[in-house]
Amino acid sequence: MPALDKEVIVLTFGYSDGTPSTNIAIGGLVPDSDPLMMYARQDIGSIVTLPFQLYQFIKATPFTFRNKQLFTFEAPAVTEVNMLLEGTRYVLKRELGQWSVQEPKGHQVESQSDMNALLGTLWNYTAINIADLVPSAAITGVDTPMLEVTVSYITPDGPTTKGPLRVGNLISDEARNHFSWIEGRDETFYVDHGFIEDIRRGVQGIRPTP
């Protein structure tokens, strides 16, 4: 059966009573199945189907069950956003509830609501997964990130910062996921390219002062 030519997962079951172990190989999706089902082959050779949800559960890792919003902060208490995006430095400060642009020089915020939306985008940074194998810095872009951002805000204990958060290269030419890192975390994460697109939209309201 073509869907089982390349087995996705092979499970081996052992028994404490001495019964010989058995295997089941999970292959591809059953075409046009509703609900979604996966083909599976028992070690006796018979073909069965399994619910796709079972396959997802088997593939789960500890990260699957963790909160993936890893850049949260107190948005109303933010006083500064310092961001390097694709070679342009943005330093945005909020005083008395109003945002101003410190860098680039000679720029202003077109709409205060745009800056609040940008904060929302940063706060909603969501890691897709943790990279199992991390290639060299030249491939990941860790030393030359396309995005690097630090957020400063006030807590009951005083001023603090979050970050920097860095987003590097795409994991491959065909992928939509980037390598990503957060200060204080040892892991390398994957983040969707949509995050970068949202950040780009978020700075469109920063324009030269007339």
Side-chain angles (χ1 to χ4, degrees):
M1 186 172 296
L4 282 167
D5 286 348
K6 294 184 178 180
E7 298 163 346
V8 177
I9 294 176
V10 178
L11 302 173
T12 300
F13 299 91
Y15 304 94
S16 59
D17 63 0
T19 302
S21 61
T22 57
N23 298 316
I24 183 169
I26 301 176
L29 285 168
V30 178
D32 303 320
S33 54
D34 185 14
L36 282 175
M37 303 291 287
M38 303 283 292
Y39 285 116
R41 178 191 291 118
Q42 297 173 298
D43 58 0
I44 60 175
S46 60
I47 304 298
V48 297
T49 57
L50 299 173
F52 183 70
Q53 292 89 337
L54 177 60
Y55 165 74
Q56 290 178 306
F57 179 78
I58 292 170
K59 283 195 66 178
T61 67
F63 188 69
T64 305
F65 305 99
R66 287 166 53 184
N67 183 355
K68 298 174 181 60
Q69 286 183 266
L70 304 178
F71 199 64
T72 56
F73 47 84
E74 296 296 330
V78 170
T79 57
E80 180 177 306
V81 175
N82 192 320
M83 180 168 63
L84 182 66
L85 175 64
E86 297 173 308
T88 300
R89 174 70 63 184
Y90 297 90
V91 179
L92 314 170
K93 288 194 175 183
R94 180 161 59 180
E95 296 179 327
L96 301 176
Q98 297 296 304
W99 287 98
S100 64
V101 182
Q102 307 298 305
E103 293 186 43
K105 300 295 185 183
H107 284 64
Q108 66 180 17
V109 174
E110 189 172 58
S111 170
Q112 294 291 313
S113 61
D114 287 346
M115 295 303 96
N116 293 329
L118 177 62
L119 278 185
T121 297
L122 292 170
W123 189 90
N124 279 313
Y125 166 92
T126 302
I128 295 173
N129 209 338
I130 296 175
D132 293 327
L133 299 174
V134 182
S136 67
I139 294 176
T140 64
V142 63
D143 295 330
T144 55
M146 65 185 307
L147 172 68
E148 180 175 285
V149 58
T150 300
V151 174
S152 302
Y153 57 101
I154 304 297
T155 73
D157 297 324
T160 189
T161 60
K162 188 82 170 188
L165 161 68
R166 298 182 180 91
V167 178
N169 298 332
L170 289 167
I171 64 175
S172 71
D173 291 340
E174 295 80 22
R176 277 188 54 86
N177 296 340
H178 291 261
F179 294 103
S180 183
W181 308 266
I182 298 175
E183 186 70 20
R185 304 291 297 258
D186 294 331
E187 307 97 329
T188 296
F189 300 100
Y190 295 141
V191 64
D192 189 84
H193 182 69
F195 177 71
I196 294 293
E197 294 174 338
D198 290 342
I199 296 293
R200 288 170 176 162
R201 283 190 287 269
V203 300
Q204 286 178 356
I206 299 173
R207 300 182 181 273
T209 303

